[in-house]
Amino acid sequence: MTDLSTNAKSVAQSAELAAQIAAANSFPPEPPARPVRRAIKRVLTDPLGLLGALIVIVLLLAALFSSWISPQNPYDLAVLDIMDNRLPPGSESFSGMTYWLGTDDQGRDLLSAILYGLRTSIFVGIVSAGIALVIGSVMGLVSAYFGGRTDTLVMRLVDIQLSFPPILVALILLAILGQGVDKIIIALVVTQWAYYARTVRGAALVERGRTYVDAARCLALPSRMVTLNHILPNCLPPLIVVATMRVAYAVSLEATLSFLGIGLPVTEPSLGLLISNGNKYMLSGDWWISVFPGVALLLLIVGINLVGDRLRDVLNPKFKD
């Protein structure tokens, strides 16, 4: 009788384990797209989140269509007239064109130059943050999943990277590589990947000890499948928040480097260069050359940060429906 009871208990435990493994094989029960969609909806229903989203969308559309909506191509020397330099906002040129935001010291329409500069800033920010996200996520997942010496090695690299000021690392790299959009993207990726690696590692360490990961391992699934299909989707909420903040930081760092004269060359549109060009005319009363590009840069960074702050609240794991 005792043997029959023991056998029945073993069969029941085996059935329960099989059910857990089957459930783990179809994990996650809630696809990652759903919480992301829900987070976007909550951001848009919040006043500050909606304001930030509207600012980002308007500036993004203006940057994407800058070639069509700009009154002139400010970097085409054939359309520039040096006689139109440093005109105040609302002035008209000899050809009858109205400069709504004035011109800079080279006779470029500031409105057009700002739109072209926004395109460069947004492109550099998104591309550099995206590449750094991929590299950092892979490093963080590998570090958390395998642990041991791999974790120690990766985290020591992260600690070394984060021990240096990002602007100092970017200055050294650009001094070696030179100027250019591709060079500044490389510098921004090097200075940002460690933030993503540390974020993903922290989230992945929590997920690694959960039952569904143990069940997936019992199925002898490859490590790549366990990390990408099971652990990574649950690391997305904090990763999305960090990525949003890092885009804003990349935009500001690119503008800072260009302002210092080592980021983008003078032939490339940049908000940092526009601010730098007008800095020497501030005391002579030509304030618009620096102020308007600065306002555009400020609006872009504030808009991205407003969206990121709201996403941080919405994607808080303690948040309950």
Side-chain angles (χ1 to χ4, degrees):
M1 194 72 177
T2 304
D3 294 339
L4 292 175
S5 176
T6 303
N7 292 335
K9 185 180 296 185
S10 299
V11 171
Q13 291 177 350
S14 299
E16 182 179 357
L17 179 59
Q20 291 179 355
I21 293 175
N25 196 30
S26 60
F27 188 87
E30 182 182 34
R34 183 179 173 185
V36 172
R37 226 175 15 244
R38 186 174 56 192
I40 294 175
K41 182 179 179 181
R42 288 176 183 161
V43 168
L44 296 180
T45 56
D46 178 75
L48 288 179
L50 179 60
L51 176 62
L54 288 176
I55 293 174
V56 172
I57 291 173
V58 170
L59 294 180
L60 180 60
L61 292 176
L64 288 175
F65 298 102
S66 58
S67 300
W68 290 274
I69 63 178
S70 298
Q72 68 172 205
N73 183 351
Y75 293 89
D76 184 2
L77 297 180
V79 301
L80 298 182
D81 188 351
I82 194 62
M83 299 300 296
D84 293 335
N85 68 324
R86 299 166 59 184
L87 293 179
S91 301
E92 290 189 3
S93 65
F94 292 103
S95 60
M97 177 181 174
T98 302
Y99 298 117
W100 299 107
L101 299 183
T103 61
D104 63 1
D105 56 341
Q106 300 180 32
R108 293 179 296 195
D109 176 42
L110 266 183
L111 176 59
S112 303
I114 289 172
L115 293 177
Y116 276 73
L118 280 173
R119 183 173 63 181
T120 302
S121 297
I122 295 175
F123 174 78
V124 169
I126 293 178
V127 172
S128 63
I131 297 175
L133 184 148
V134 174
I135 296 174
S137 298
V138 172
M139 298 292 286
L141 285 173
V142 170
S143 175
Y145 186 79
F146 293 101
R149 294 182 177 179
T150 303
D151 183 32
T152 302
L153 176 61
V154 173
M155 285 301 101
R156 295 298 77 79
L157 289 176
V158 170
D159 292 338
I160 293 173
Q161 174 66 55
L162 296 180
S163 64
F164 294 97
I167 189 170
L168 177 61
V169 177
L171 286 171
I172 295 174
L173 289 175
L174 290 176
I176 298 173
L177 299 175
Q179 295 180 321
V181 175
D182 54 341
K183 309 297 191 307
I184 200 168
I185 288 177
I186 293 174
L188 293 177
V189 169
V190 172
T191 59
Q192 292 189 97
W193 72 270
Y195 295 95
Y196 297 101
R198 176 166 287 183
T199 301
V200 173
R201 175 184 177 271
L205 283 176
V206 176
E207 299 300 325
R208 189 184 65 175
R210 298 191 182 276
T211 306
Y212 72 86
V213 176
D214 295 333
R217 288 172 175 170
C218 291
L219 291 172
L221 295 177
S223 300
R224 177 180 58 82
M225 185 176 296
V226 175
T227 54
L228 296 181
N229 295 351
H230 296 270
I231 297 179
L232 180 59
N234 292 281
C235 300
L236 288 180
L239 193 58
I240 292 173
V241 176
V242 173
T244 305
M245 298 297 186
R246 301 317 299 179
V247 169
Y249 181 80
V251 170
S252 63
L253 185 56
E254 180 274 322
T256 301
L257 295 172
S258 298
F259 178 85
L260 295 175
I262 61 172
L264 297 179
V266 294
T267 56
E268 295 286 343
S270 171
L271 295 178
L273 280 175
L274 292 175
I275 298 173
S276 177
N277 290 337
N279 185 49
K280 55 188 175 183
Y281 299 112
M282 289 290 290
L283 296 180
S284 62
D286 300 335
W287 51 269
W288 59 87
I289 303 177
S290 285
V291 169
F292 289 135
V295 170
L297 178 64
L298 179 64
L299 286 176
L300 179 60
I301 296 175
V302 168
I304 296 175
N305 282 327
L306 286 176
V307 175
D309 286 340
R310 183 53 183 158
L311 281 174
R312 181 186 57 192
D313 298 334
V314 168
L315 296 176
N316 191 327
K318 298 181 180 180
F319 185 86
K320 301 294 182 182
D321 289 329

